[in-house]
């Protein structure tokens, strides 16, 4: 079958090597689930509220939905934007689409009109799958706005009350014979944290993704007894594949879905379902640590807490074992591919002070200076990587790809790291123009462009400011055209443009001009220092 237009494949020589090594097995995600359902049909695969789906049920629903989506006219390589909260339907929908060879485009529940319209337009999506309501927000209202902006979007499919749209429940048809995708082809499009004007889409293949999932499951020691609590947004790469829910399905274990990650919601669930492993971002880990003082008995089945998505400081990392009573694993990964884990055999020093080492002996990890020259271990530099599950290009982004990848295919992660002789990395900063808001990635240029659309804004620069809870929050420096402007007006303006809440600047500072670098660019470092000093002075 022909490859998706806009996908950059691995050079054939590398692809062949990854197959010979047994990394790329030729199995698709859909086939993996079918195999598991054949091995143990009656085991519970997913717990979602009061619902419990066995492997056989999940497998059957996937086949039925593949038939239902086909009836809507969705076929191989068609894109479908999937924006679901942590509900079981996420899995029946995704596996249904995988079986059909259609490609889910993973959106986050926090995304709003600006982001979703962009994904639908950019990926030329045929359908958009949502839940009716979640967290008090009506996604059907959002879908109406998106449809008005993107007329090429043909179908809106709703898990729950569908109103004028197609009900997901009605899409469960009698399974049909399907050719199915090839494992070397793109399985879905994942979101990039981004640093440029518009979010980029990441094409991941069945072969490469399943390799990272299998290898991750092995590193984390998952087996049939694994009970994985999914408390982060289910479509994010960390809870999806590191080893995440897919790793658990591969191991034959059980996924427990939580709608919210707060201790009140999940601690009782950990107790009743016997959760053994979960994944959190650092701010949530801190909230759990604080709550665990009173409620530790509820956590007694928990063996492993993975923390990643943003830097987990050593001062907090060392509290996990004594205060939560479970082992810690640091995870430093990216939707583009490379994932690093601390290992069970690592010393406390490595566990608390590093963000782990790469999954695969065939992950090629380089730490380089500004001129791409390799640096010795211990020195701070830019992290470049290529390997069996790291993409060679973003979807439909030739121009950007020329900058984001070296000519020999290394991905420029934008992270500043040090490497130890053991291969362990410590993340010490970022060269990319992004704010990591407790694991939520905010691309500065994207938000600046929204700010610049305001008639009273002459120039805008978004930078990170330190925050005790989230690690970083965002601060927008604004030069106005002269008319007075209040921060609340700008924030309302962004909200009305349909920008996700986590991207709205946490603070707005008006200035008359920006400090400039020698070459005349906005000096963001100076702006970061200025806001950090201001905060320190008022604390
Ligand atoms: C994960 O994926 P993304 O795509 O949301 O974000 C990737 C970026 C990295 O390039 C790095 O800047 C930052 O997030 N990051 C970390 C980190 N983990 C991710 N920075 C410091 N320390 C860490 N432990 O965030 C992601 C994907 C798979 C597994 C885990 C995280």
């Amino acid at each position: 079958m022909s490859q998706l237009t806009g996908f950059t494949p691995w050079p054939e020589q590398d692809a062949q090597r990854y197959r010979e090594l047994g990394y790329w097995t030729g199995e698709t995600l859909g086939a993996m689930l079918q195999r598991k359902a054949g091995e143990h049909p009656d085991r519970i695969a997913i717990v979602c509220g009061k619902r419990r789906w066995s492997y056989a049920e999940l497998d059957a629903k996937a086949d039925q939905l593949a038939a239902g989506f086909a009836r809507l006219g969705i076929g191989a390589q068609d894109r479908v934007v999937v924006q679901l909260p942590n509900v079981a339907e996420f899995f029946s929908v995704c596996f249904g689409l995988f079986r059909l060879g259609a490609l889910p485009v993973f959106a986050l529940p926090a995304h709003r009109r600006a982001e979703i319209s962009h994904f639908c337009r950019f990926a030329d999506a045929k359908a958009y799958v949502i839940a009716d309501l979640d967290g008090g927000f009506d996604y059907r209202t959002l879908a109406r706005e998106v449809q008005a902006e993107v007329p090429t979007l043909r179908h809106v499919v709703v898990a729950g009350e569908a109103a004028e749209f197609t009900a997901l429940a009605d899409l469960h048809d009698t399974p049909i014979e399907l050719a199915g995708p090839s494992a070397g082809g793109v399985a879905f499009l994942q979101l990039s944290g981004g640093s440029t004007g518009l979010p980029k889409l990441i094409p991941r293949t069945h072969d490469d993704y399943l390799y990272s999932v299998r290898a991750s499951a092995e590193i984390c020691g998952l087996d049939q007894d694994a009970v994985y609590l999914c408390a982060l947004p289910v479509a994010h790469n960390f809870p999806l594949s590191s080893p995440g829910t897919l790793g658990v399905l591969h191991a034959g274990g059980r996924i427990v879905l939580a709608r919210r990650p707060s201790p009140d919601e999940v601690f009782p669930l950990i107790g009743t379902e016997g959760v053994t492993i979960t994944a959190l971002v650092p701010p949530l880990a801190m909230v759990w640590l604080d709550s665990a003082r009173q409620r530790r008995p509820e956590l007694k089945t928990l063996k492993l807490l993975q923390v990643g998505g943003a830097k987990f400081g050593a001062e907090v990392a060392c509290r996990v074992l004594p205060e939560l009573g479970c082992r810690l694993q640091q995870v430093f990964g990216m939707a583009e591919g490379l994932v690093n884990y601390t290992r069970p055999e690592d010393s406390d020093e490595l566990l608390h002070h590093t963000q782990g080492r790469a999954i695969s002996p065939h992950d090629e990890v380089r730490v380089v200076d500004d001129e791409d020259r390799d640096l010795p271990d211990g020195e701070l530099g830019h992290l470049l990587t290529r390997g069996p599950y790291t993409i060679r290009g973003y979807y439909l982004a030739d121009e950007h790809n020329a900058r984001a990848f070296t000519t020999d295919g290394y991905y420029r992660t934008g992270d500043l790291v040090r490497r130890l002789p053991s291969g362990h990395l410590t993340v010490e900063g970022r060269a990319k123009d992004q704010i990591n808001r407790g694991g939520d990635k905010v691309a500065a240029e994207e938000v600046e462009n929204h700010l610049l659309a305001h008639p009273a804004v002459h120039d805008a620069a978004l930078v990170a400011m330190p925050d005790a809870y989230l690690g970083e929050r965002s601060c927008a420096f604004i030069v106005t055209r002269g008319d007075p402007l209040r921060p609340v007006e700008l924030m309302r303006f962004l909200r009305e443009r349909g920008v996700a809440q986590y991207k709205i600047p946490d603070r707005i500072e008006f200035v008359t001009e920006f400090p400039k670098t020698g070459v005349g660019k906005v000096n963001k470092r100076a702006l970061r220092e200025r806001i950090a000093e201001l905060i320190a002075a008022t604390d």
Side-chain angles (χ1 to χ4, degrees):
M1 196 190 288
S2 67
Q3 276 291 5
L4 178 72
T5 311
F7 164 65
T8 312
W10 282 259
E12 187 45 40
Q13 214 179 331
D14 294 304
Q16 200 181 333
R17 186 157 50 105
Y18 298 145
R19 282 191 289 265
E20 280 166 11
L21 284 163
Y23 292 171
W24 294 4
T25 62
E27 184 172 55
T28 62
L29 288 156
M32 183 274 281
L33 175 65
Q34 195 169 32
R35 182 164 56 81
K36 292 291 154 186
E39 285 169 17
H40 40 68
D42 301 326
R43 287 184 70 96
I44 298 298
I46 303 178
V47 177
C48 175
K50 293 198 169 60
R51 296 184 293 164
R52 303 172 96 76
W53 289 0
S54 69
Y55 276 79
E57 277 173 285
L58 173 60
D59 186 53
K61 284 180 202 294
D63 278 340
Q64 292 162 5
L65 285 180
F69 280 116
R71 167 162 56 89
L72 290 185
I74 291 161
Q77 300 196 348
D78 283 341
R79 275 77 60 199
V80 175
V81 174
V82 177
Q83 186 186 30
L84 288 171
N86 290 7
V87 290
E89 286 81 357
F90 174 82
F91 295 94
S92 54
V93 165
C94 289
F95 278 101
L97 294 170
F98 294 154
R99 295 240 163 115
L100 200 53
L103 316 183
V105 179
F106 291 130
L108 295 172
H111 287 140
R112 292 295 178 260
R113 191 181 76 245
E115 290 88 13
I116 302 291
S117 293
H118 168 64
F119 301 144
C120 288
R121 205 179 290 122
F122 185 77
D124 192 19
K126 279 206 176 148
Y128 171 37
V129 184
I130 53 171
D132 48 5
L133 294 162
D134 184 54
F137 183 75
D138 193 331
Y139 285 85
R140 294 162 299 192
T141 310
L142 174 58
R144 285 177 199 118
E145 293 169 5
V146 171
Q147 259 193 330
E149 279 193 11
V150 191
T152 48
L153 176 68
R154 282 198 229 145
H155 304 281
V156 174
V157 176
V158 185
E161 289 296 320
E164 73 270 35
F165 303 121
T166 305
L168 183 67
D170 295 341
L171 273 191
H172 293 79
D173 278 0
T174 311
I176 51 172
E177 205 53 54
L178 290 163
S182 75
V186 175
F188 56 83
L189 296 167
Q190 183 59 276
L191 293 188
S192 144
S195 55
T196 56
L198 290 166
K200 298 278 175 293
L201 297 178
I202 296 168
R204 300 290 303 257
T205 65
H206 296 269
D207 267 337
D208 91 73
Y209 211 59
L210 262 180
Y211 166 58
S212 77
V213 164
R214 279 197 322 273
S216 297
E218 191 174 328
I219 288 167
C220 298
L222 296 190
D223 59 21
Q224 290 209 346
D225 298 324
V227 182
Y228 178 88
L229 174 77
C230 180
L232 294 176
V234 60
H236 188 271
N237 202 58
F238 183 15
L240 189 60
S241 68
S242 307
T245 54
L246 292 178
V248 172
L249 292 178
H250 162 76
R254 181 177 299 187
I255 298 164
V256 177
L257 294 168
R259 282 299 258 268
R260 311 270 163 261
S262 65
D264 283 348
E265 181 125 344
V266 298
F267 281 16
L269 206 52
I270 292 175
T272 52
E273 295 296 336
V275 167
T276 61
I277 166 171
T278 191
L280 296 176
V281 288
L284 282 173
M286 290 199 271
V287 173
W288 282 35
L289 278 164
D290 288 340
S291 297
R293 290 211 180 110
Q294 288 96 43
R295 311 177 58 170
R296 187 159 153 187
E298 287 172 298
L299 304 181
K300 67 176 187 299
T301 56
L302 193 61
K303 293 199 193 99
L304 185 66
L305 174 66
Q306 302 182 285
V307 181
K311 174 100 173 221
F312 196 42
E315 329 66 61
V316 200
C318 67
R319 290 171 50 196
V320 170
L321 182 62
E323 294 180 32
L324 293 177
C326 63
R327 277 191 297 122
L328 166 71
Q329 179 180 55
Q330 297 219 34
V331 187
F332 163 40
M334 51 208 74
E336 287 81 357
L338 182 72
V339 182
N340 302 275
Y341 297 102
T342 55
R343 304 297 207 268
E345 67 275 14
D346 285 347
S347 65
D348 283 355
E349 176 69 18
L350 289 174
L351 181 63
H352 299 152
H353 290 272
T354 80
Q355 281 61 59
R357 62 180 170 87
I359 289 180
S360 173
H362 286 83
D363 278 320
E364 299 171 82
V365 170
R366 292 175 61 196
V367 181
V368 302
D369 67 11
D370 289 343
E371 271 77 50
D372 284 356
R373 288 177 300 222
D374 288 283
L375 291 169
D377 286 340
E379 294 221 9
L380 186 65
H382 303 275
L383 172 65
L384 309 184
T385 185
R386 69 181 183 190
Y389 60 96
T390 297
I391 57 162
R392 294 300 182 107
Y394 291 100
Y395 176 57
L396 287 173
D398 285 347
E399 208 177 304
H400 180 67
N401 286 340
R403 272 172 283 134
F405 295 83
T406 64
T407 46
D408 52 356
Y410 282 87
Y411 167 55
R412 299 183 188 276
T413 66
D415 292 312
L416 296 174
V417 304
R418 272 180 228 280
R419 180 173 43 193
L420 301 179
S422 61
H424 288 71
L425 302 173
T426 55
V427 184
E428 306 212 354
R430 223 168 23 239
K432 55 189 165 191
D433 201 5
Q434 187 187 76
I435 293 115
N436 190 337
R437 207 175 168 279
D440 285 333
K441 314 303 181 319
V442 181
E445 193 183 314
E446 183 185 349
V447 177
E448 289 159 4
N449 285 343
H450 284 296
L451 288 164
L452 285 167
H454 191 287
V457 172
H458 171 69
D459 210 350
L462 194 78
V463 298
M465 58 182 184
D467 182 78
Y469 173 56
L470 291 180
E472 295 172 7
R473 286 184 199 261
S474 64
C475 174
F477 283 90
I478 303 286
V479 180
T480 66
R481 292 190 188 280
D483 297 333
L485 191 60
R486 286 181 306 144
V488 282
E489 283 174 63
L490 262 184
M491 298 200 189
R492 186 170 352 109
F493 174 75
L494 294 184
R495 230 167 273 127
E496 280 165 6
R497 283 178 69 82
V499 176
Q501 180 63 34
Y502 70 89
K503 296 182 188 170
I504 309 245
D506 293 287
R507 178 167 175 155
I508 294 179
E509 291 285 316
F510 294 100
V511 290
T512 49
E513 61 177 359
F514 291 146
K516 295 280 163 63
T517 64
V519 291
K521 288 207 300 187
V522 176
N523 187 344
K524 286 204 163 177
R525 179 202 288 252
L527 289 175
R528 277 195 298 272
E529 285 168 5
R530 191 185 299 178
I531 189 64
E533 278 165 25
L534 251 170
I535 291 172
T538 46
D539 261 357

